[in-house]
Amino acid sequence: MLQSISKASVHAFYADAIPHGRNTAENLQAATSERFNTLLESIDNQTPRTALDLGYGVGNYTLALARAGFRVVAVDQIPCTSLLRRIGSAGDWAHQIEPRRCLAEDFTIDEDFGVVVAKDVLHYLTRHDVETLLTRAVAQAHGANHHYLEVFTGIARSSPSGQLLRIEGEADCSPTAFQHVIEEIYAGWDLSFHWSDHAEQDSRTGRTCFEATRATVIAANPAA
């Protein structure tokens, strides 16, 4: 029997784990990925110096973008306190970060962001919300924009007792369906897809509680 997990309980989990610095099975505290670092280093001055980090979590991608000279709008449903504490008086780039407390699916993209990052957040949204959000981001892109997405597809969750779990409303796309959606939304952009198997273990039982195929998408909009 499939058991449903409420979105409210998921939101509450992260609102507690992130401010308290808990490194969960998904490794919330992980540094920015090598693919992202390579992308960031490759971006030239044709790209607008604005960035959007959807679901910033502990803030590692937000901080990396700000250090690279971007004005960053950082969006997450958790209180901004922990990110503001990390920023502190970190340097000249600290004032370039604008935290916004908002669900990713409720955030209105109404400007041209040179870089958009959405890491480990889109799979929690409905498929309609994912399509709406990314379509809006593409519609606002007028320069040499870059979008970096990490999304879990083909998700299988289970409780410590082995019961199948699903979060209410999550997109639950197969890898093939997700790639098709991205190719439609990003028509005319240069796309690269990277696929990897991902699994997480329950810390109490040692049993696998989450399995998925992680899709990493790098989308580049040719300069207008």
Side-chain angles (χ1 to χ4, degrees):
M1 181 177 178
L2 187 65
Q3 178 180 341
S4 179
I5 303 171
S6 72
K7 280 194 173 182
S9 66
V10 174
H11 295 160
F13 171 81
Y14 287 110
D16 176 69
I18 292 173
H20 290 92
R22 297 195 181 102
N23 199 18
T24 63
E26 65 194 284
N27 196 10
L28 287 173
Q29 305 292 332
T32 54
S33 72
E34 287 302 318
R35 286 198 176 94
F36 175 78
N37 295 340
T38 300
L39 171 64
L40 197 55
E41 291 170 2
S42 72
I43 294 173
D44 59 29
N45 292 330
Q46 294 184 70
T47 297
R49 308 310 287 179
T50 55
L52 172 63
D53 188 0
L54 285 168
Y56 62 78
V58 300
N60 288 337
Y61 286 76
T62 290
L63 269 62
L65 287 161
R67 289 190 185 105
F70 289 87
R71 177 182 67 82
V72 188
V73 176
V75 177
D76 208 308
Q77 59 91 22
I78 64 173
C80 303
T81 312
S82 56
L83 179 60
L84 291 172
R85 190 182 303 119
R86 282 199 71 185
I87 297 169
S89 55
D92 294 339
W93 52 265
H95 70 280
Q96 297 173 180
I97 299 174
E98 302 173 24
R100 308 272 185 90
R101 187 177 184 183
C102 180
L103 292 172
E105 60 267 38
D106 291 340
F107 183 75
T108 300
I109 299 175
D110 56 6
E111 66 175 286
D112 183 10
F113 289 105
V115 178
V116 173
V117 174
K119 182 182 183 298
D120 295 353
V121 64
L122 294 181
H123 63 278
Y124 288 121
L125 279 54
T126 67
R127 180 164 172 168
H128 172 74
D129 284 338
V130 171
E131 293 176 357
T132 299
L133 193 63
L134 295 181
T135 297
R136 183 70 178 173
V138 168
Q140 293 295 319
H142 305 300
N145 308 74
H146 300 270
H147 292 185
Y148 179 88
L149 317 174
E150 287 193 27
V151 184
F152 288 122
T153 65
I155 295 170
R157 290 187 178 87
S158 60
S159 69
S161 63
Q163 184 175 19
L164 295 179
L165 305 174
R166 183 178 178 185
I167 296 172
E168 62 173 336
E170 66 180 340
D172 196 25
C173 287
S174 69
T176 301
F178 176 74
Q179 180 167 344
H180 180 67
V181 167
I182 293 298
E183 289 173 341
E184 282 195 340
I185 293 173
Y186 287 93
W189 289 49
D190 296 327
L191 288 171
S192 67
F193 291 86
H194 305 275
W195 307 92
S196 59
D197 294 331
H198 180 89
E200 298 171 11
Q201 284 70 43
D202 185 281
S203 59
R204 295 161 296 178
T205 65
R207 295 180 57 175
T208 297
C209 58
F210 180 88
E211 291 181 283
T213 299
R214 183 195 291 274
T216 301
V217 180
I218 298 175
N221 184 27

